[in-house]
Amino acid sequence: MKVAIALALPLLLAVSAGSAQAQGTLEKVKAAGSITVGHRDASIPFAYLDDKQQPVGYSMDLCARIVDAVKAELKMPDLKVAFQPVTSATRIPLLANGTVDIECGSTTNNAARQQQVSYTMTSFVTANRFVSKKADNLKTLADLKGKTVVSTSGTTNIKQITELNASMNLGLNILAAKDHAESFLMVDTGRASAFIMDDILLAGLVANSAKPDQWQISSEALSVEPYGIMVRKGDPAFKKVVDDAMVALMKSGEINKIYAKWFQSPIPPKGINLNIPMSDSLKKVIANPTDSPDPAAYK
């Protein structure tokens, strides 16, 4: 009997795991009576905490519309919404294991990540650059040769600068920080010469810093980075609801209003206006929505 139980237990666990994996997000959310939104806490202006410690931002507004679409699909107007902070390093694992149902932040959509997760329609297009102090006169990647640089753990940016360091023999000392705020602080305090990150996130950090005029963002772009809201892989029913909601936002023009709210108007907590016009790349996506990870699709 003990042998039979011992043999049956692994099979039971395998069946349970398979059943959990087979359960779609819509079924999971309906059974739980709530949907869990993963969000960043310092990715200004996409997803960050305001002065009341509430998650706000461009991506959060887009996700709010998506949640409304999920409520309509499930006919559950009173569906509860829970918020779960994630980091660059934890966002994909927490989505994959079911801790969060959708990730709303500033996450690059690329082919490698699409092996693990899926993305809805691209909601922003940025580029990988670096920020440094004007006094240091660092403008190009070549200017960083032999210096200490920092990027955030778990990002495509740190992976790319590591690859460029090797291929171009730059001799960089590359540090990994836990989040964007720590990365920026390391440059501010002289522990690194430059912070490599998506230019829009750098712009947000500079605008909200104590002395914005002392910073400069490199004109040289290292890559094109399309952002998308993440959902679990292999769940076409949920992805369709999310995709349809995003396409509706784009076709109705509502996404333009949300963009203007976060990029061309005063935003919390300091009321700073980033004053960043919508790029031609994003206008192209809004006219023809795509979830492509190919940088060429955005040029």
Side-chain angles (χ1 to χ4, degrees):
M1 179 64 70
K2 289 181 179 179
V3 173
I5 292 173
L7 290 173
L9 185 57
L11 179 60
L12 179 62
L13 291 174
V15 170
S16 298
S19 299
Q21 190 174 3
Q23 184 185 41
T25 302
L26 291 173
E27 290 85 354
K28 173 181 177 293
V29 167
K30 186 173 185 178
S34 67
I35 184 169
T36 302
V37 175
H39 67 88
R40 304 297 296 278
D41 61 9
S43 285
I44 301 170
F46 296 91
Y48 65 102
L49 300 179
D50 64 11
D51 51 358
K52 297 178 182 177
Q53 295 301 293
Q54 296 300 307
V56 297
Y58 174 71
S59 295
M60 298 305 297
D61 279 4
L62 296 179
C63 278
R65 306 307 195 277
I66 291 170
V67 168
D68 287 343
V70 173
K71 289 179 179 180
E73 176 71 19
L74 295 176
K75 297 179 174 58
M76 296 177 70
D78 297 325
L79 182 71
K80 295 179 181 178
V81 183
F83 295 100
Q84 171 68 47
V86 299
T87 67
S88 297
T90 65
R91 55 192 169 184
I92 290 178
L94 290 179
L95 181 68
N97 70 17
T99 301
V100 302
D101 299 309
I102 188 169
E103 192 267 345
C104 310
S106 51
T107 305
T108 297
N109 175 4
N110 61 33
R113 284 179 174 165
Q114 285 212 7
Q115 298 300 311
Q116 306 174 70
V117 296
S118 291
Y119 291 81
T120 186
M121 305 305 171
T122 293
S123 54
F124 196 84
V125 184
T126 184
N128 188 13
R129 303 180 195 268
F130 65 84
V131 68
S132 60
K133 292 186 176 179
K134 287 181 181 177
D136 292 335
N137 197 32
L138 303 173
K139 298 179 179 179
T140 67
L141 195 57
D143 293 335
L144 298 179
K145 191 166 186 177
K147 297 187 181 298
T148 296
V149 300
V150 64
S151 192
T152 305
S153 178
T155 62
T156 56
N157 312 77
I158 197 165
K159 180 176 182 292
Q160 185 187 44
I161 195 61
T162 300
E163 292 170 351
L164 288 171
N165 186 38
S167 65
M168 297 177 65
N169 194 28
L170 295 171
L172 299 174
N173 177 30
I174 301 171
L175 304 178
K178 66 178 181 180
D179 55 31
H180 302 330
E182 184 180 68
S183 294
F184 193 68
L185 181 63
M186 290 180 75
V187 182
D188 195 20
T189 55
R191 287 175 286 169
S193 296
F195 169 26
I196 291 93
M197 186 44 57
D198 301 338
D199 56 10
I200 187 60
L201 300 180
L202 297 178
L205 290 164
V206 168
N208 284 276
S209 66
K211 298 179 180 179
D213 291 342
Q214 75 173 350
W215 299 95
Q216 68 179 6
I217 298 172
S218 65
S219 57
E220 180 182 28
L222 309 183
S223 67
V224 175
E225 306 284 328
Y227 284 177
I229 291 165
M230 286 196 299
V231 296
R232 269 183 288 282
K233 190 174 178 64
D235 191 349
F238 185 63
K239 187 176 186 311
K240 184 179 188 306
V241 173
V242 175
D243 285 351
D244 287 350
M246 282 295 295
V247 170
L249 279 170
M250 293 175 174
K251 296 302 183 186
S252 69
E254 187 177 358
I255 195 169
N256 297 293
K257 297 176 183 177
I258 297 173
Y259 182 96
K261 173 184 174 182
W262 292 102
F263 294 96
Q264 297 177 300
S265 307
I267 62 173
K270 297 181 179 180
I272 292 171
N273 187 342
L274 297 179
N275 196 25
I276 298 174
M278 185 180 288
S279 68
D280 290 340
S281 296
L282 183 53
K283 289 177 182 177
K284 179 181 176 183
V285 171
I286 291 172
N288 297 285
T290 179
D291 61 359
S292 174
D294 185 1
Y298 304 97
K299 293 180 179 178

